[in-house]
């Protein structure tokens, strides 16, 4: 297959993988399907009733958007991950590290919440997607290899 075709196929596969990772992050599940540990209750909301108490925002609601969950694909590899300050936040949660709650706040050890990782269904969908794209481009790649063989002789 030509490098450009491999790049296009890898990019499509990476977008599919990003979509599945984002859905899993939104559902707050690990790669094995287990639920992530719940967010710690904030002291200032204890005893409050009404609208303020109902503001239980889902964790990671913004970082699973395509603005933060980036895709990088070349002819040889696929990368789906976080970059910049979001990568630091994701790293802390992925591996359960310590970090400051706010700029001058207390240090807190976050529980391990795996955001990224390949599950068996992800691996299966990658394999099926690659096979489907290769099947669609089989005629084009056969023609390209034939063209190359003519040029070499």
């Amino acid at each position: 297959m030509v490098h450009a075709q491999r790049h296009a196929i890898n990019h499509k596969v990476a977008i599919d993988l990003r979509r599945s990772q984002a859905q899993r992050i939104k559902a707050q599940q690990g790669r094995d399907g287990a639920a992530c540990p719940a967010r710690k209750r904030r002291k200032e909301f204890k005893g409050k009733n009404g609208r303020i108490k109902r503001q239980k925002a889902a964790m990671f609601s913004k970082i699973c958007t395509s603005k933060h969950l980036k895709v990088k694909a070349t002819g040889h590899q696929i990368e789906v991950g976080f970059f910049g300050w979001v990568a630091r936040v994701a790293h802390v949660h992925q591996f359960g590290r310590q970090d400051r709650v706010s700029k001058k706040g207390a240090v807190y050890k976050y529980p391990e919440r795996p955001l990224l990782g390949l599950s068996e269904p992800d691996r299966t969908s990658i394999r099926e997607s690659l096979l489907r794209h290769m099947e669609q481009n089989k005629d084009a790649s056969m023609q390209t290899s034939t063209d190359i063989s003519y040029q070499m002789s």
Side-chain angles (χ1 to χ4, degrees):
M1 233 189 269
V2 180
H3 180 74
Q5 289 175 332
R6 283 195 319 257
H7 177 75
I9 290 171
N10 284 349
H11 187 71
K12 290 176 184 175
V13 169
I15 288 174
D16 292 341
L17 185 61
R18 176 178 62 190
R19 187 175 298 120
S20 71
Q21 296 289 315
Q23 287 172 351
R24 200 181 73 239
I25 291 170
K26 272 186 186 173
Q28 296 183 11
Q29 295 177 342
R31 63 177 164 252
D32 58 351
C36 290
R39 175 183 266 172
K40 183 181 171 186
R41 277 186 62 132
R42 291 171 58 181
K43 290 180 184 177
E44 62 207 47
F45 286 156
K46 283 185 181 176
K48 298 266 186 181
N49 291 323
R51 185 176 67 86
I52 294 176
K53 190 174 179 184
R54 283 195 304 265
Q55 289 178 347
K56 290 186 179 178
M59 292 185 294
F60 314 120
S61 61
K62 290 185 181 180
I63 68 170
C64 60
T65 60
S66 61
K67 177 181 178 183
H68 300 294
L69 188 56
K70 297 289 185 179
V71 167
K72 184 177 177 184
T74 64
H76 303 291
Q77 66 182 10
I78 297 171
E79 293 178 18
V80 177
F82 299 104
F83 299 96
W85 67 270
V86 178
R88 197 179 123 265
V89 171
H91 183 79
V92 167
H93 286 278
Q94 177 88 17
F95 299 109
R97 309 286 169 131
Q98 286 186 347
D99 196 17
R100 293 198 177 276
V101 178
S102 62
K103 195 171 188 177
K104 294 183 181 179
V107 174
Y108 178 72
K109 178 162 182 356
Y110 288 88
E112 188 174 322
R113 297 182 179 107
L115 300 175
L116 298 176
L118 290 176
S119 63
E120 198 53 44
D122 288 336
R123 293 173 198 262
T124 305
S125 69
I126 290 170
R127 194 175 307 117
E128 289 173 357
S129 182
L130 284 172
L131 289 173
R132 184 176 57 246
H133 290 300
M134 286 175 64
E135 186 68 31
Q136 289 173 354
N137 294 326
K138 183 170 67 170
D139 296 331
S141 64
M142 296 287 275
Q143 187 178 17
T144 305
S145 65
T146 308
D147 292 343
I148 292 171
S149 65
Y150 285 134
Q151 290 175 359
M152 295 176 81
S153 52

